[in-house]
């Protein structure tokens, strides 16, 4: 049985009393053996209840750029993952579920502009007020 069908962005759920920035560092280490330095916040996305999940707040942080050696060595280290892949932005967005694709696109905009983005359900907050 699959943990989650389809592709996802790197990361995971925070543990009790764990700050989101610490959670992403822990999850990247556990899932991919990857240690990064966070350079800032890109996206905050409030997600309405869906399926068995209550509402949640999702974050995307800027983890910088990893070198070719680290990228080549990247392998899933957790049973939750079956594959890790670097993919050009447009192709990556096409592989994600629509809400995640919108979150990913917002992160690309935030990275370029230097300003974090707030979303509701993957939609730009300024368009849903």
């Amino acid at each position: 049985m699959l943990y989650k069908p389809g592709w996802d962005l790197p990361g995971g759920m925070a543990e009790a009393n764990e700050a989101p920035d610490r959670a992403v560092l822990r999850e990247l280490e556990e899932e991919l053996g990857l240690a990064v330095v966070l350079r800032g916040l890109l996206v905050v996305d409030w997600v309405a209840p869906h399926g068995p999940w209550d509402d949640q707040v999702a974050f995307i942080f800027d983890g910088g750029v990893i070198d070719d050696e680290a990228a080549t060595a990247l392998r899933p280290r957790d049973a939750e993952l079956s594959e890790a892949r670097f993919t050009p932005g447009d192709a990556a967005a096409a592989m994600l579920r629509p809400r995640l694709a919108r979150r990913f696109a917002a992160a690309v905009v935030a990275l370029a502009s230097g300003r974090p983005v707030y979303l509701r359900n993957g939609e730009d907050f300024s368009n849903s007020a």
Side-chain angles (χ1 to χ4, degrees), residues 3 13-14 19 25 45-46 54 66 71 73 76-77 84 95 104 110 112 115:
Y3 170 67
M13 302 289 284
L25 294 173
D45 187 7
W46 177 79
D54 200 354
I66 63 173
R77 297 182 178 202
M95 296 166 67
F104 175 76
R115 297 181 61 200

Side-chain angles (χ1 to χ4, degrees), residues 52-66:
W53 303 98
D54 200 354
D55 71 326
Q56 62 187 31
V57 179
F59 299 86
I60 296 181
F61 291 94
D62 177 359
V65 177
I66 63 173

Side-chain angles (χ1 to χ4, degrees), residues 6 8 27 29 37 39 57 72 80 84 92 103 105 111 118 122 124:
D8 205 344
E27 288 282 350
E29 175 63 35
V37 173
R39 299 169 43 153
V57 179
T72 301
E80 293 176 358
R103 191 180 302 156
L111 186 61
Y118 174 68
D124 185 337

